[in-house]
Amino acid sequence: MTTAGRLTDPIEIRERFEQAMLDRPEKLQRHTHRVVKGALRLAAVHELDRDICSASAAGHDLFRHCGDGELIALARHYRVPITEHEEAAPIILHGPLAAAYARDVIEVQHDEILDAIAFHTTAHPDYSLESIAMFLADKIDPRKVRRDPGLAAVAAAAETDLYAAAAMFLERRLTSQLNSGQPLHPLAVASRNAFLRRSQ
């Protein structure tokens, strides 16, 4: 479904994202496929909108393969705001950049999907459950769990409480950043707190 040339149907949006991913590195394509699969499974477990979950997953890493300099340059080109946090860690920009590209080039008009993609590194306090399902599917990609067995607890929690699982993941990441002296992104902190309040 389109509205005045804009894409609004999650199924069509997913198809366009899949087309855009074809010229990305194969390793990234395989990761994206696993995230789509994981998001669909969590959607089934928690009775969520599978089309929104899978479309968000299909487009979340369109620019994950780019280096720091390229991310900064592309963010400026697509008028993506760059704060001190992104300056310090440009990889954070790959989500907002993918959302901007989806909106401006692919002509996606679906706020929930765009927001899910934009904030999938830090999460967002106002994330829908569909967005959290995609966020977690990315973080508990089986390849990542094999590299970091500590993520298995997050994967197990995701089976019963998405909010608790997302809060657990963010708590783990924030603790690691604190221990290594890295700055904390305010959205990650706010998201952890919001998800903890909503968990069962």
Side-chain angles (χ1 to χ4, degrees):
M1 182 184 301
T2 59
T3 302
R6 308 287 290 181
L7 287 173
T8 58
D9 177 31
I11 296 175
E12 291 184 39
I13 292 169
R14 174 181 171 177
E15 290 172 352
R16 291 294 300 276
F17 286 155
E18 289 172 342
Q19 291 172 10
M21 283 297 299
L22 291 177
D23 65 355
R24 268 49 175 185
E26 288 187 12
K27 182 178 179 181
L28 186 59
Q29 292 183 45
R30 291 193 295 270
H31 164 68
T32 299
H33 176 75
R34 292 192 298 272
V35 175
V36 169
K37 184 177 179 181
L40 283 169
R41 197 184 63 75
L42 289 175
V45 168
H46 296 283
E47 299 181 345
L48 307 177
D49 188 314
R50 54 180 283 116
D51 295 329
I52 290 176
C53 289
S54 62
S56 302
H60 81 287
D61 265 357
L62 285 170
F63 291 90
R64 181 61 180 83
H65 61 295
C66 297
D68 288 354
E70 189 176 6
L71 286 168
I72 293 287
L74 286 168
R76 288 174 177 153
H77 175 75
Y78 287 106
R79 300 180 301 281
V80 173
I82 302 173
T83 71
E84 61 181 316
H85 301 284
E86 288 76 33
E87 287 278 7
I91 193 60
I92 298 170
L93 288 167
H94 81 277
L97 179 56
Y101 180 86
R103 183 187 63 244
D104 297 345
V105 178
I106 301 178
E107 297 189 316
V108 171
Q109 184 175 305
H110 194 296
D111 289 343
E112 185 175 353
I113 291 172
L114 293 173
D115 286 347
I117 291 170
F119 301 109
H120 80 269
T121 299
T122 60
H124 193 284
D126 297 327
Y127 249 0
S128 67
L129 281 172
E130 282 77 9
S131 298
I132 294 177
M134 184 277 289
F135 172 81
L136 286 169
D138 177 37
K139 309 316 175 195
I140 59 174
D141 171 350
R143 294 286 179 91
K144 294 182 179 180
V145 176
R146 281 198 289 272
R147 290 197 303 269
D148 182 1
L151 290 172
V154 178
E159 297 297 312
T160 56
D161 188 335
L162 293 176
Y163 286 123
M168 183 186 300
F169 173 83
L170 290 166
E171 176 82 21
R172 193 170 184 271
R173 172 184 279 175
L174 292 165
T175 298
S176 175
Q177 291 172 335
L178 275 173
N179 290 340
S180 61
Q182 298 177 51
L184 305 183
H185 197 291
L187 270 179
V189 175
S191 297
R192 176 263 183 193
N193 293 341
F195 299 160
L196 197 59
R197 288 193 298 270
R198 295 173 194 154
S199 62
Q200 297 175 4

